[in-house]
Amino acid sequence: MRVADVMSTQVLTVRPETTLKEVAELLGSRGISGAPVVDEAGHVVGVVSEADILAKERKPRRASRLDRLFAHETVDRKAAARTAGEAMTAPAVTIGADRRVDAAAATMLDRSVNRLPVIDREGLLVGIVTRADLVRAFVHTDDQIEREIRDEVLLHELWLDPEEYSLSVQKGEVTITGPARTEAEKDLLVRRISLVPGVVSVAVREVAHP
């Protein structure tokens, strides 16, 4: 499953010159916690979030020696910001629409972000994917899981003949039976199937070639 399959295409965006007051009003009225900042052409130049606005409300602190050592430029800049462009986090963490959803999940976890602007090959914004979107993708039926394993994993990614394999999927627990393979090949098969949204566990059984 690809990011394009789960992303939202109706995306609230703001421009760099949008005031933080306007950003706060937009986020509050839409019930969302952040938005991509785009230029005139539609390229993502950053992301502005509730945390960026909260920096305005942070009580000024007397700089300690450690603070001065590490020079909290980012905190100071956000506290003084008046527009989305001044407060945003940049460069934005984005993902391509053709990437797999497991790559989106890994990026969110590794970068500690709740949403990813989705871009096309020209870098233009085409959608947004959130953690909630990925959670919903995990709620796949067993039939959907089996189809993705056969059509995408076996046939198009691993170049294996799906007809050589018997698949059983019960509540996300996958049992795949097929020709005997090396341990490295079995490990690759298990790891790749495990990345299919909705898969809980994978067991491989082998049948000898006739």
Side-chain angles (χ1 to χ4, degrees):
M1 178 173 284
R2 307 292 165 172
V3 170
D5 299 322
V6 300
M7 70 182 187
S8 299
T9 55
Q10 300 297 317
V11 188
L12 169 69
T13 62
V14 297
R15 296 286 297 278
E17 62 271 19
T18 304
T19 68
L20 282 186
K21 197 75 171 180
E22 292 174 301
V23 173
E25 291 171 352
L26 288 168
L27 297 184
S29 64
R30 299 290 187 90
I32 57 179
S33 59
V37 183
V38 299
D39 63 16
E40 291 183 358
H43 296 99
V44 180
V45 295
V47 172
V48 63
S49 68
E50 291 174 332
D52 298 321
I53 296 172
L54 289 178
K56 297 290 294 182
E57 302 180 11
R58 183 172 181 166
K59 182 179 179 180
R61 297 179 298 118
R62 182 177 179 180
S64 67
R65 181 176 299 178
L66 186 61
D67 289 336
R68 289 193 296 271
L69 176 63
F70 287 100
H72 288 242
E73 295 92 347
T74 299
V75 174
D76 294 341
R77 174 176 58 81
K78 290 182 182 292
R82 296 185 299 172
T83 65
E86 294 171 347
M88 68 184 183
T89 298
V93 181
T94 62
I95 194 162
D98 59 347
R99 298 288 302 280
R100 295 202 312 258
V101 294
D102 60 277
T107 300
M108 287 184 188
L109 293 173
D110 292 344
R111 303 296 293 271
S112 298
V113 296
N114 295 323
R115 73 199 61 78
L116 293 171
V118 184
I119 57 176
D120 63 15
R121 295 185 179 182
E122 285 71 46
L124 298 174
L125 181 71
V126 294
I128 196 162
V129 62
T130 67
R131 292 191 179 196
D133 294 326
L134 299 187
V135 170
R136 283 190 290 271
F138 190 81
V139 188
H140 261 157
T141 67
D142 291 340
D143 287 342
Q144 289 173 317
I145 292 172
E146 180 174 345
R147 282 198 299 273
E148 182 161 349
I149 293 173
R150 288 189 179 280
D151 298 342
E152 185 168 340
V153 177
L154 296 180
L155 182 61
H156 292 109
E157 292 189 18
L158 301 182
W159 293 3
L160 299 174
D161 184 359
E163 297 300 321
E164 293 185 347
Y165 292 86
S166 173
L167 271 173
S168 171
V169 185
Q170 299 291 328
K171 295 183 178 180
E173 297 182 356
V174 178
T175 300
I176 180 167
T177 305
R181 298 192 175 276
T182 66
E183 288 301 315
E185 290 173 332
K186 286 194 296 183
D187 181 62
L188 175 61
L189 187 62
V190 170
R191 286 190 288 111
R192 180 57 192 91
I193 292 176
S194 297
L195 295 177
V196 173
V199 170
V200 175
S201 65
V202 183
V204 177
R205 296 177 181 172
E206 297 178 341
V207 292
H209 286 288

